[in-house]
Amino acid sequence: MSPPLVLQFLGLPQVQLDDQPVATDRRKAIALLAYLAVNDLDHGRQKYSREALSALLWPEYEQAKAFSNLRRTLWEVHQALGEGWLVAEREAIRLNPDADPELDIARFQSLISQSRQQSDPKSRIPLLVEATQLYRNHFLTGFSLKDAYGFNEWAYARAEELRHMFASALEMLAEEYC
């Protein structure tokens, strides 16, 4: 079994492997991990074409150079995390379907969903409290890519969606306490 991978994207991005911080000098490696992991919440472990990912992260580059940058970024992710977390095929990339990284956004959304299923306020309150505590700050706070507008737009839209969920959780929590 692989060591636990923890991806925290609520607030400044943080990656931990086996309880140790993982550092990478390349913002694109963090962006790639964030994009794959967060999109998997909505769409399941799907494959993303190399063409689409390279265009997302290097939109102003010629395709050959963008592909080269993507290969370099994949190498950096493998160096930082080890093999087995990403599956890089000839045409597509995805998170390994057998890997199970811990993602703060998944836990946040799950807690809010669980709280809505509870009819008793005594059961709802602890779930909402835990969800709001997970929300360290907005999605990818202080993180953007200067040359990847598509990625930044995606991140902004996700941040807005999560901000609304957070505000809703705070409202529900306030109502329960009243």
Side-chain angles (χ1 to χ4, degrees):
M1 185 172 153
S2 298
L5 176 63
V6 177
L7 304 172
Q8 296 177 315
F9 297 130
L10 292 172
L12 188 64
Q14 297 177 5
V15 178
Q16 293 182 341
L17 182 64
D18 202 20
D19 295 324
Q20 298 297 316
V22 174
T24 178
D25 294 335
R26 294 180 46 101
R27 296 174 71 81
K28 301 287 175 109
I30 297 296
L32 178 64
L33 281 173
Y35 187 79
L36 294 174
V38 173
N39 279 339
D40 278 358
L41 288 176
D42 298 330
H43 310 296
R45 295 273 162 95
Q46 70 178 24
K47 296 178 183 182
Y48 298 89
S49 74
R50 287 178 179 259
E51 187 174 328
L53 290 172
S54 61
L56 177 73
L57 298 174
W58 294 277
E60 296 176 7
Y61 288 76
E62 292 180 20
Q63 190 176 41
K65 179 66 175 165
F67 280 166
S68 174
N69 287 341
L70 180 60
R71 280 191 304 275
R72 170 86 175 145
T73 300
L74 286 169
W75 180 84
E76 293 223 358
V77 170
H78 286 301
Q79 289 293 100
L81 302 179
E83 299 290 326
W85 293 103
L86 295 181
V87 175
E89 298 168 349
R90 181 173 169 83
E91 298 293 324
I93 298 166
R94 65 182 167 148
L95 284 177
N96 186 338
D98 297 327
D100 191 22
E102 181 181 318
L103 181 61
D104 60 350
I105 295 168
R107 181 79 179 136
F108 172 74
Q109 291 176 330
S110 174
L111 288 166
I112 291 174
S113 177
Q114 290 174 44
S115 73
R116 290 182 175 145
Q117 297 170 6
Q118 303 298 319
S119 58
D120 180 15
K122 290 179 184 175
S123 299
R124 265 193 307 270
I125 289 174
L127 296 169
L128 290 168
V129 167
E130 186 178 347
T132 57
Q133 288 173 341
L134 276 174
Y135 199 95
R136 297 176 297 127
N137 207 329
H138 302 306
F139 178 65
L140 296 179
T141 296
F143 183 89
S144 65
L145 300 175
K146 66 180 178 179
D147 60 347
Y149 306 110
F151 174 83
N152 292 336
E153 288 177 6
W154 168 82
Y156 180 78
R158 242 355 231 189
E160 283 298 303
E161 181 183 317
L162 291 164
R163 267 193 282 265
H164 288 294
M165 289 180 76
F166 180 61
S168 175
L170 289 175
E171 287 175 20
M172 289 188 294
L173 192 55
E175 288 172 10
E176 295 302 343
Y177 277 129
C178 287

